[in-house]
Amino acid sequence: MKLRSITTIGACLVAAAVCLSGCQSSGGKKADYPTKPINVIVPFSPGGGSDVLTRSMMEYLELPNDQTFVAVNVDGAAGYIGCQQAFNSANDGYTLLAHNPMDVVSYTLGGTTDVSLYTELELICGIADDFNVLVTNKQSGWTTLDEVLEYVKAHPGEVKVGNTGSMNCNMADCIRVLDALGIREDVTIVPYNGGSDNKVANMGNHVQLSVNTGADIQSAVESGDEIPLLVISDRRSQSLPDTPCTKELGYDVVTTKPRGLYAPKGTSQEQIDIISEAVKNVCENEEFQQRILDLGLEVNYVPGDELQTKIDGWVEDIKPVFEEMKKQQ
């Protein structure tokens, strides 16, 4: 009888030990990923919109094993050099790319590369949206889109329109919206190297209209030096709630300018899901949302596959415009 009791007690202890071991392996064991910091290539210089967005997100990000993102600035060729570096990186989950998907599209459609980077990189998720906006300056005296259209039609060839870049999706947006408004043949498009140069040219009345991003024009709009007329989007911008968008006015030009995270092709789905879920949690933080809105962007978390489908549709819309631009080079 005594022997049986001892045996029973021993069996219970073994069972308890097995149970405890199982609990530790399922709940107490460190996750397999990430086990070290994750490098995030920001393909622009420090202080730009993509850089500030990425570093702001990092402050709220919580990853397994107390790991973090490390922003790595790789500037050059309008973001292409950093994008290419990410494309050529190992797909082990420890190199990501923070970039603007429509810029990634531009590298391919514009002829910078023969590689279809916007499909060959794995889109993890969208984080925030920017928008191209048609603006004028206070010297013009215009305050509404109708006033602009009336003047341009009465003075063909007089008005200049600034744009950020040339062989890119910004130019495609500019051309498409001018076509939709019926004034493309009545104005002259002037490309500038960057959003800042574009803004300064409009504020100085070197151009009377400009297509520029909401983030680039925010300070000038707040000061009254630039007047927003039309947001190129399927919805109004939270930063410009009083400015109509193309869709509501019946114009079929609705490409937004998302900011997202990419990984090299072949990165495991498990790793992508971990990153995506962590970013989603950041995007649900109201303090982060307000901080990004202050930058002229608006938080808009979108799963990678959903955003990729939307981008693929936009690509089909703008391909003919790129083909036209190439013929005119």
Side-chain angles (χ1 to χ4, degrees), residues 231-251:
V231 176
I232 302 173
S233 176
D234 57 0
R235 66 189 189 279
R236 292 197 179 199
S237 164
Q238 293 178 14
S239 296
L240 302 168
D242 298 325
T243 305
C245 69
T246 47
K247 183 176 181 178
E248 71 183 86
L249 296 183
Y251 301 122

Side-chain angles (χ1 to χ4, degrees), residues 140-153:
S140 72
W142 306 320
T143 58
T144 68
L145 183 61
D146 286 340
E147 291 173 348
V148 170
L149 298 180
E150 182 180 353
Y151 186 91
V152 170
K153 283 299 184 182

Side-chain angles (χ1 to χ4, degrees), residues 35-95:
T35 57
K36 62 181 180 180
I38 298 171
N39 289 327
V40 180
I41 294 174
V42 180
F44 302 101
S45 59
S50 293
D51 183 69
V52 173
L53 173 62
T54 302
R55 293 179 189 275
S56 297
M57 179 185 64
M58 287 164 52
E59 294 183 26
Y60 298 87
L61 191 71
E62 294 183 1
L63 292 171
N65 303 326
D66 295 323
Q67 293 302 327
T68 61
F69 280 175
V70 177
V72 180
N73 294 94
V74 182
D75 189 19
Y80 174 69
I81 293 176
C83 183
Q84 188 68 23
Q85 181 172 316
F87 173 74
N88 290 322
S89 295
N91 56 4
D92 58 3
Y94 289 97
T95 300

